[in-house]
Amino acid sequence: MNGKNRPGSGAAAVLAVLALLGFALLPQSSAAAAEDKPSVKLSASQAGKGGSVTVKGAGWRSDALLMMLVCGQAAPGKGVVGGTNSCANSDGRAVTTDDDGAFSKKLPVAEPPEPCPCVVHVATVTGEKQQVDAVLKVAGHPVKALPAQAGGGKLSVLTDTGLEGSSGVLTWFGAPPQRKLEFTVGNVGSAPVKNPVFQVGTSHGVFAPQWEEQQWRGTIAPGKKAQIKLPVELSAGAHGDYLVSLKFGGKVLAEQPWGVGRPWGVTVFWILLCVVVPAAVFRIGMAVVDRLRPNRRGASRSGRRRGARFAELARRMPQLRMPQGAVDADRKGRASHAARTPGTNPARAAGASGAAGAGATESTSGTPTAAALPWFTPDTDPGAPAGRLSAPSDDSPTKGTT
């Protein structure tokens, strides 16, 4: 009977093996669960201003963009009391996790604007919010106890957040966009919450939120809820995709995206300025040129007036007439020349000379008749005896001599 297997002994052996395997795999599963939670470790727990510490992290999302800051008035589990306004933002560093969600980077140590206790605050910039704080003592920096927090009261957002309001005409021309963040919170604690102070932050792109404290006046009793509206304002000319975050007690309660349109009025203004100013400068330049160049119309008008004056002066001048002695001498010369020339009528030549003399005589009476002066020379003296005034003729004594 002892050599035979007892019934159920094989099943008991199988159960024992499974139990051993379960105990062996339990620590690994718990370690894996611990690794899934983001963690941060520092190479040194204390450093002075100007030094640096190496920050190592694990358990973060793969390819996540993180921001590392040295913050004051903060403690692990309580968060940063004053938000990122209590951190040395100018000396912060950004780091991206690898495929396993780990990272390692040096962070310069700077004195935060608020006294210690200080921490190295590591938080995600985009995507799901994750943050971890690691204690760091900044040598030589003042230390001040954290402000006491009222226990018992705890607020929780009950409804989705929303932005109330719209943009006006001034916003279209670059005025700061304004909205009101509307949400409903409930007191899930055992003590009333009086005049709670919320932190409203706005962020754009990969930049960290800029937090601003907003206090709501009122008391929320345990188990009660209240609708709260907090003002939110961006900088002048802001446009693009923004994210509005709400924080209370160091914990982010809600986030609300906000798409801000481009201020096209500013663009239209600059376009008009680029068109109007050159046009105005061109008109002013043309006016200056018209003022400085000579007036051609005035010159032509003065020339016409001057010509008219000369014509009038010429009409008023007395007509030139031949002296009477010159007329008689010309008549005698014409008659003698006609007598010597065959085929010429002396009476007709004398009549023509008489007509010329009569014309000259009539001009002296005041009648404006033009007298012909075919052979008048300026050196002839009207009072001298009449001589030969005609042109040389063919009866010259030298003609025909050899």
Side-chain angles (χ1 to χ4, degrees), residues 309-328:
R309 291 175 184 175
F310 284 133
E312 183 68 20
L313 182 61
R315 285 197 299 269
R316 292 184 180 182
M317 290 179 64
Q319 299 292 337
L320 296 176
R321 60 186 179 85
M322 294 178 59
Q324 186 63 33
V327 173
D328 295 341

Side-chain angles (χ1 to χ4, degrees), residues 17-290:
V17 172
L18 292 177
L20 291 175
L21 291 176
F23 283 114
L25 294 176
L26 182 61
Q28 296 180 2
S29 61
S30 60
E35 290 180 356
D36 293 337
K37 186 178 180 180
S39 62
V40 171
K41 292 182 179 181
L42 306 179
S43 60
S45 60
Q46 182 175 354
K49 179 182 178 182
S52 63
V53 294
T54 302
V55 183
K56 295 182 179 180
W60 299 83
R61 296 195 311 270
S62 59
D63 298 329
L65 180 61
L66 308 178
M67 178 62 70
M68 302 185 302
L69 300 170
V70 178
C71 303
Q73 287 290 284
K78 295 183 179 179
V80 183
V81 176
T84 54
N85 292 331
S86 302
C87 304
N89 296 307
S90 59
D91 296 307
R93 292 292 183 269
V95 63
T96 303
T97 60
D98 55 17
D99 295 337
D100 297 331
F103 69 90
S104 178
K105 190 176 183 65
K106 283 189 176 182
L107 175 67
V109 178
E111 293 184 353
E114 298 293 336
C116 287
C118 301
V119 298
V120 173
H121 180 74
V122 183
T124 55
V125 177
T126 58
E128 183 183 354
K129 289 295 180 181
Q130 292 178 328
Q131 58 184 12
V132 176
D133 297 328
V135 177
L136 175 66
K137 294 181 180 180
V138 180
H141 194 61
V143 179
K144 183 180 179 181
L146 294 175
Q149 298 181 354
K154 186 178 180 181
L155 297 180
S156 177
V157 176
L158 303 179
T159 60
D160 294 336
T161 58
L163 293 174
E164 183 182 26
S166 60
S167 301
V169 179
L170 296 179
T171 305
W172 202 65
F173 286 93
Q178 297 178 352
R179 294 290 190 276
K180 285 188 176 181
L181 181 62
E182 183 178 1
F183 56 95
T184 302
V185 296
N187 187 356
V188 295
S190 59
V193 178
K194 184 178 181 180
N195 299 331
V197 177
F198 296 92
Q199 290 181 343
V200 179
T202 56
S203 59
H204 180 60
V206 298
F207 296 98
Q210 298 294 327
W211 299 99
E212 182 179 353
E213 292 186 352
Q214 300 283 350
Q215 187 175 17
W216 181 75
R217 299 290 180 178
T219 302
I220 305 176
K224 300 295 183 180
K225 62 181 180 179
Q227 187 178 15
I228 299 176
K229 296 181 181 180
L230 300 176
V232 182
E233 181 176 348
L234 301 178
S235 59
H239 61 277
D241 296 330
Y242 283 80
L243 184 65
V244 181
S245 304
L246 178 67
K247 183 188 290 187
F248 178 76
K251 181 181 179 181
V252 178
L253 299 181
E255 293 179 341
Q256 176 66 34
W258 183 8
V260 183
R262 181 181 294 273
W264 291 108
V266 179
T267 306
V268 173
F269 170 78
W270 284 111
I271 293 175
L272 293 178
L273 187 65
C274 294
V275 173
V276 172
V277 171
V281 172
F282 175 77
R283 294 297 300 272
I284 294 174
M286 293 302 297
V288 172
V289 171
D290 291 340

Side-chain angles (χ1 to χ4, degrees), residues 319 359-370:
Q319 299 292 337
T361 305
E362 290 177 0
S363 64
T364 59
S365 64
T367 305
T369 58

